[in-house]
Amino acid sequence: QARVERMEQFQKEKEELDKGCRECKRKLAECQKKMKELEVAEPESGKGELEKLQAEAQQLKNEEKSWENKLEELRKKEKNMPWNVDTLSKDGFSKSVFNVKPEEKEETEEQKEKKHKTFVERYEKQIKHFGMLRRWDDSQKYLSDNPHLVCEETANYLVIWCIDLEVEEKHALMEQVAHQTIVMQFILELAKSLKVDPRACFRQFFTKIK
């Protein structure tokens, strides 16, 4: 909720700056138009009014530059904003290459536990292999070859593995696996936000993050 509110505030600030900049440009264009009309209609008698308009035009130019600088700062800030499901869901993430809908039926704790145990027994070696990958391209290719790994069971196994490694004081290895855990959790959160199956959006995730 706090993240959404921050983004809404940021968007509001951006809209206000855009509006202020447009209004300033409109006033400047209007002022310059009056100056031209005065130069043609009253070249001699209108000198006092012309000087007044020139001063106003200069002030508006300075104001326009100030608005543009503020907008540029905001664009830089936006570029450096941390990624999350809200920012990633906008451009490039609205469509999926797969038309796969997430399962909506609720599972009991017993069913979840059984499903997790069966999944781990079958794919533990593959999950561990994914946990050891370092490069984005390698992770993407491995998940493309093994899309069944893109699920809650993999994320849960990786979390438990991280805890075990930390207990064993294998800190460097734990950090490596933790990185892959976060990648998997991010894909799952993104899928939830977009209301699609995780297998339908992990490729877009890697494309965007690279």
Side-chain angles (χ1 to χ4, degrees):
Q1 181 61 32
R3 183 180 67 211
V4 170
E5 284 174 4
R6 281 198 304 271
M7 287 190 69
E8 283 175 355
Q9 181 60 38
F10 184 87
Q11 190 61 32
K12 189 181 175 184
E13 190 182 342
K14 193 177 177 183
E15 284 169 6
E16 283 174 0
L17 283 177
D18 272 325
K19 188 181 175 183
C21 194
R22 283 198 306 270
E23 182 62 18
C24 184
K25 284 178 187 289
R26 187 191 65 77
K27 284 180 181 176
L28 180 59
E30 201 175 280
C31 184
Q32 286 171 336
K33 187 185 174 186
K34 282 180 184 175
M35 282 164 61
K36 281 181 183 176
E37 286 172 355
L38 200 63
E39 283 170 0
V40 174
E42 302 174 67
E44 290 300 321
S45 59
K47 274 185 179 178
E49 183 65 23
L50 186 63
E51 283 173 5
K52 189 182 171 184
L53 286 168
Q54 283 171 340
E56 189 183 336
Q58 188 56 50
Q59 191 179 337
L60 285 165
K61 279 179 186 176
N62 294 338
E63 198 179 317
E64 181 188 24
K65 195 174 180 182
S66 175
W67 282 114
E68 285 174 349
N69 287 340
K70 284 177 184 176
L71 267 171
E72 185 58 34
E73 281 174 26
L74 202 70
R75 286 190 192 106
K76 284 178 184 174
K77 190 179 172 184
E78 185 177 31
K79 199 176 179 183
N80 294 322
M81 278 174 79
W83 285 355
N84 54 58
V85 292
D86 301 310
T87 52
L88 280 173
S89 296
K90 288 182 181 176
D91 300 321
F93 275 76
S94 54
K95 291 184 180 177
S96 169
V97 288
F98 293 100
N99 186 19
V100 188
K101 289 184 179 178
E103 291 180 16
E104 290 179 3
K105 60 178 183 179
E106 282 293 318
E107 294 177 321
T108 64
E109 286 304 313
E110 194 178 327
Q111 285 174 321
K112 284 180 182 177
E113 195 176 329
K114 189 178 178 183
K115 187 181 175 184
H116 178 78
K117 191 178 178 183
T118 306
F119 187 86
V120 170
E121 283 172 0
R122 187 179 297 176
Y123 301 118
E124 185 174 20
K125 193 176 176 183
Q126 291 181 356
I127 299 169
K128 283 195 167 184
H129 181 86
F130 173 76
M132 299 296 287
L133 296 173
R134 291 178 180 275
R135 296 174 64 247
W136 297 120
D137 288 333
D138 294 338
S139 292
Q140 182 179 350
K141 186 178 186 309
Y142 196 71
L143 291 180
S144 295
D145 294 339
N146 304 279
H148 54 274
L149 294 179
V150 189
C151 62
E152 290 282 352
E153 285 71 37
T154 296
N156 293 341
Y157 181 90
L158 291 171
V159 169
I160 295 164
W161 190 18
C162 281
I163 295 166
D164 290 341
L165 289 170
E166 187 63 20
V167 169
E168 292 165 17
E169 297 188 355
K170 295 177 180 176
H171 306 303
L173 185 56
M174 187 281 296
E175 285 179 11
Q176 163 58 32
V177 176
H179 177 273
Q180 294 298 88
T181 308
I182 292 165
V183 167
M184 184 58 66
Q185 288 174 332
F186 206 115
I187 292 168
L188 294 173
E189 192 181 349
L190 179 62
K192 202 175 288 182
S193 170
L194 298 177
K195 294 182 174 63
V196 295
D197 190 289
R199 291 167 294 177
C201 70
F202 76 86
R203 288 174 179 83
Q204 291 100 312
F205 165 78
F206 284 109
T207 301
K208 190 82 172 175
I209 206 158
K210 280 191 285 183

